[in-house]
């Protein structure tokens, strides 16, 4: 099998979706992919590297999703609608990323992963703020609440919604 970054992420994601985040290890990846440890060492050295690797991949994919939505040059309300539809579809197709975002296994000790997740949050907030401010400027959005509070509220509700999705996925996995 031709091994690359996206293969590793997809296979790691399949392991997470099937057996949970605790089942994810370098050995599990080696077994699933059917390659040698040395071939995988190009990308990952230890079990702890897998979630960091996945979080970096998530960051790249979210940045690309935002660029794609922004490139459509839609009205602010359509841009927001398209952004959240795209995010919903993205997490529906790659639900394993929800584990990376909401995992209790990722602790404050996982500084590298926390930094990546903070960058993702910052980039999404910045983009969302830009769209909301543009909409306020042309009076599409008439809400008087400060943009930063709107962003926190919108993202909080989306996080809650996606957390519910993750819980549903876990319940379905546990039934099998």
């Amino acid at each position: 099998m031709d091994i690359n970054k996206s293969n590793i992420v997809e296979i790691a994601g399949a392991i997470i979706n099937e057996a949970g985040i605790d089942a994810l290890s370098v050995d599990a990846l080696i077994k699933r992919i059917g390659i040698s440890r040395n071939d995988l060492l190009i990308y990952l050295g230890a079990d702890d590297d897998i979630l960091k690797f996945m979080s970096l991949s998530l960051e790249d994919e979210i940045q690309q999703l935002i660029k794609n939505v922004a490139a459509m040059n839609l009205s602010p309300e359509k841009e927001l609608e398209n952004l959240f539809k795209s995010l919903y579809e993205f997490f529906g197709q790659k639900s394993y990323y929800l584990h990376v975002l909401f995992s209790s296994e990722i602790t404050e000790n996982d500084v590298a992963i926390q930094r990546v997740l903070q960058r993702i949050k910052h980039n999404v907030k910045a983009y969302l703020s830009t769209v909301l401010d543009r909409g306020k400027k042309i009076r599409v959005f008439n809400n008087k609440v400060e943009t930063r509070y709107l962003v926190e509220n919108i993202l909080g509700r989306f996080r809650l919604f996606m957390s519910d999705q993750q819980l549903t996925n876990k319940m379905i996995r546990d039934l099998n």
Side-chain angles (χ1 to χ4, degrees), residues 13 19 50 56 60 65 95 100 111 119 125 148-149 173:
I50 301 170
L56 289 168
D60 291 344
L65 186 144
S95 61
V100 175
V111 177
R119 282 196 312 262
K125 281 182 175 184
R148 64 186 170 115
Y149 294 121
R173 186 183 70 239

Side-chain angles (χ1 to χ4, degrees), residues 2-175:
D2 181 35
I3 189 70
N4 60 42
K5 181 180 176 179
S6 63
N7 291 127
I8 293 170
V9 169
E10 287 176 22
I11 293 167
I15 293 168
I16 289 171
N17 285 341
E18 292 166 13
I21 207 163
D22 291 332
L24 188 59
S25 69
V26 170
D27 289 334
L29 283 172
I30 290 169
K31 183 177 178 182
R32 180 73 63 101
I33 297 170
I35 61 172
S36 73
R37 182 174 290 279
N38 287 339
D39 291 336
L40 194 58
L41 283 176
I42 296 168
Y43 299 99
L44 304 167
D47 291 349
D48 293 344
D49 294 338
I50 301 170
L51 288 175
K52 182 169 72 172
F53 189 79
M54 290 183 77
S55 66
L56 289 168
S57 179
L58 173 61
E59 180 180 31
D60 291 344
E61 293 199 53
I62 294 290
Q63 285 176 342
Q64 188 59 51
L65 186 144
I66 288 172
K67 284 179 187 177
N68 292 346
V69 171
M72 293 178 184
N73 293 319
L74 301 169
S75 63
E77 69 272 21
K78 287 292 182 188
E79 193 166 345
L80 284 179
E81 181 181 330
N82 200 329
L83 172 66
F84 286 103
K85 280 183 179 179
S86 297
L87 284 169
Y88 179 77
E89 288 173 13
F90 172 76
F91 286 118
Q93 294 169 358
K94 299 181 178 190
S95 61
Y96 48 85
Y97 280 135
L98 294 173
H99 292 277
V100 175
L101 288 172
F102 299 118
S103 174
S104 59
E105 285 84 357
I106 298 175
T107 66
E108 288 77 34
N109 297 334
D110 299 318
V111 177
I113 297 172
Q114 291 297 331
R115 275 193 228 129
V116 173
L117 297 178
Q118 283 302 110
R119 282 196 312 262
I120 293 169
K121 187 176 180 180
H122 173 77
N123 290 337
V124 170
K125 281 182 175 184
Y127 174 69
L128 201 49
S129 294
T130 301
V131 174
L132 289 172
D133 285 340
R134 189 166 40 93
K136 283 181 171 185
K137 186 175 181 179
I138 63 172
R139 300 184 194 274
V140 171
F141 304 133
N142 295 316
N143 197 311
K144 303 294 183 204
V145 176
E146 284 185 47
T147 300
R148 64 186 170 115
Y149 294 121
L150 287 173
V151 167
E152 288 295 333
N153 191 308
I154 291 168
L155 288 178
R157 289 173 188 255
F158 188 74
R159 273 191 299 268
L160 182 61
F161 177 73
M162 295 314 298
S163 180
D164 287 347
Q165 284 293 114
Q166 181 193 25
L167 181 59
T168 301
N169 292 341
K170 182 184 181 318
M171 288 173 20
I172 291 169
R173 186 183 70 239
D174 290 346
L175 288 173

